[in-house]
Amino acid sequence: MSVVSLFPSATEVAAALGVTPAAVSHQCDHPPAVTDRPTLTGLVRDLDGDPDQVDRIVAHDDTYYLDGDALAAADPDAILTQGVCAVCALDAELARRAVERLDLDAAVLDVHADDLADVLANVERIGEAVGHPETAATLRADLEARIDAVADAVPGEVASSGSPATRDSRPRVAVLDWTDPVRHGGLWIPDLLRLAGGEPGLVAAGERSRKVDPEELRAFDPEVLVVGPCSADVAEAGGRARELLEREPLDDVAAVRDGRVYAMDGTAYLNRHSHRVVDTLEALAAVIHPESFGETDGRVRPVPTGSEGTGNPTADRDAPDERTAD
């Protein structure tokens, strides 16, 4: 079976199931084995001419194009695509248009996810599409066991009994997936925050990422603030967080005052809905409840706020470098 993937989340899941796609999108960078695969997509702005006049371009929108020659050469039986965000990756409708124009005998799977339940279900949907349903069922069971382990360790919360956590054990948490303008992560992110023992309040589970006015952020007064912009690694996220703190008067926000602002690799852990969302859950739990989960690893780094001494004595030592996003 030949499988191609047009966005990173599906590529990651397929590879975890033992299927390295024959061709991938220009954004697919994990696991390393996919980086030498033929590239199917790119940015329209990088083309030398009008995409309508380039013979090999079989489908495009204002942002992305799909290379018909590369897609035909891969001769896929299954095409993994997405319908979550046409800004973040090539949209499913373009893939369907390409299949029709090239007269390919390929099934197009739109791996859409609104919440954590969808993310887990997609593991098995992809497993069926790539011919590895049993491996997918095993992977999902492992992910669910790790989720339960986090929920069991959250203070005041027992996953098996459903006992509610006390209010004091659930700090208010905000996760920003963009900083200028400020946007709060949505869809599966609020689910992860609750499972990690935090209290989301700016976006509901299943709601898309949305713009948040700085006044609204201050009114919510998060006790933990995580910054992980789309397409930014942890070092870039740290730079964006520091820019935000310099630009906006947030000194009176609890997370800033107490030195509980963190940078996270948004590309790998906040903006993709692969099986690695459980890695995200574990990392969030470590910054929300360090007393139960221990210190964070390289996925999350403290951001100096000028108040490190009160709530985060390791901030200077672990702070990301001074590189900022382009």
Side-chain angles (χ1 to χ4, degrees):
M1 169 178 279
S2 175
V3 176
V4 302
S5 177
L6 300 181
F7 81 119
S9 298
T11 300
E12 293 182 11
V13 174
L17 300 178
V19 178
T20 302
V24 296
S25 80
H26 68 289
Q27 297 163 313
C28 294
D29 57 9
H30 184 85
V34 307
T35 59
D36 63 352
R37 297 297 185 177
T39 300
L40 296 167
T41 66
L43 295 174
V44 167
R45 71 185 185 201
D46 293 335
L47 289 173
D48 292 334
D50 182 347
D52 284 323
Q53 305 303 317
V54 179
D55 289 343
R56 75 176 193 280
I57 304 305
V58 69
H60 71 89
D61 56 21
D62 291 339
T63 306
Y64 301 105
Y65 69 81
L66 180 54
D67 190 320
D69 288 350
L71 181 60
D75 191 21
D77 300 294
I79 300 174
L80 307 179
T81 182
Q82 65 92 37
V84 173
C85 178
V87 175
C88 296
L90 186 135
D91 188 77
E93 185 55 38
L94 294 184
R96 296 189 181 96
R97 189 187 310 169
V99 167
E100 182 178 351
R101 288 183 176 178
L102 295 172
D103 195 25
L104 297 175
D105 184 16
V108 177
L109 179 65
D110 177 359
V111 188
H112 184 80
D114 285 331
D115 54 24
L116 182 59
D118 288 342
V119 174
L120 295 174
N122 280 339
V123 171
E124 293 193 279
R125 293 181 65 222
I126 292 174
E128 290 287 345
V130 303
H132 287 250
E134 294 181 357
T135 306
T138 299
L139 176 58
R140 178 171 181 170
D142 176 68
L143 297 174
E144 291 175 336
R146 289 168 61 193
I147 290 170
D148 286 344
V150 170
D152 285 341
V154 168
E157 188 114 17
V158 180
S160 59
S161 67
S163 301
T166 63
R167 174 64 190 85
D168 290 343
S169 72
R170 280 193 170 275
R172 298 179 302 279
V173 185
V175 175
L176 307 184
D177 63 12
W178 203 251
T179 56
D180 191 12
V182 176
R183 297 185 66 89
H184 193 288
L187 301 175
W188 54 87
I189 296 298
D191 286 333
L192 298 182
L193 292 179
R194 287 195 179 279
L195 284 166
E199 186 64 38
L202 292 174
V203 176
E207 181 183 356
R208 288 182 178 270
S209 168
R210 71 174 181 87
K211 184 177 177 180
V212 174
D213 187 273
E215 286 294 338
E216 187 178 2
L217 181 63
R218 283 191 287 271
F220 178 56
D221 192 26
E223 295 160 90
V224 178
L225 177 61
V226 179
V227 179
C230 182
S231 300
D233 62 17
V234 68
E236 293 168 329
R240 301 277 191 92
R242 291 191 295 276
E243 289 173 356
L244 173 64
L245 295 180
E246 291 171 1
R247 186 177 71 249
E248 298 292 345
L250 299 174
D251 290 349
D252 57 343
V253 170
V256 179
R257 187 176 63 245
D258 296 337
R260 300 191 70 185
V261 178
Y262 300 90
M264 191 170 194
D265 186 329
T267 299
Y269 299 111
L270 290 178
N271 314 130
R272 296 180 182 179
H273 54 284
S274 75
H275 60 295
R276 289 202 290 170
V277 297
V278 180
D279 294 342
T280 307
L281 170 64
E282 292 165 345
L284 290 172
V287 299
I288 296 171
H289 290 289
E291 73 283 1
S292 297
F293 294 94
E295 295 186 2
T296 64
D297 58 20
R299 290 172 290 196
V300 185
R301 298 181 188 174
V303 175
T305 65
S307 305
E308 301 87 349
T310 60
N312 191 2
T314 63
D316 286 330
R317 183 190 69 203
D318 295 332
D321 62 36
E322 294 299 318
R323 181 161 56 101
T324 58
D326 293 334

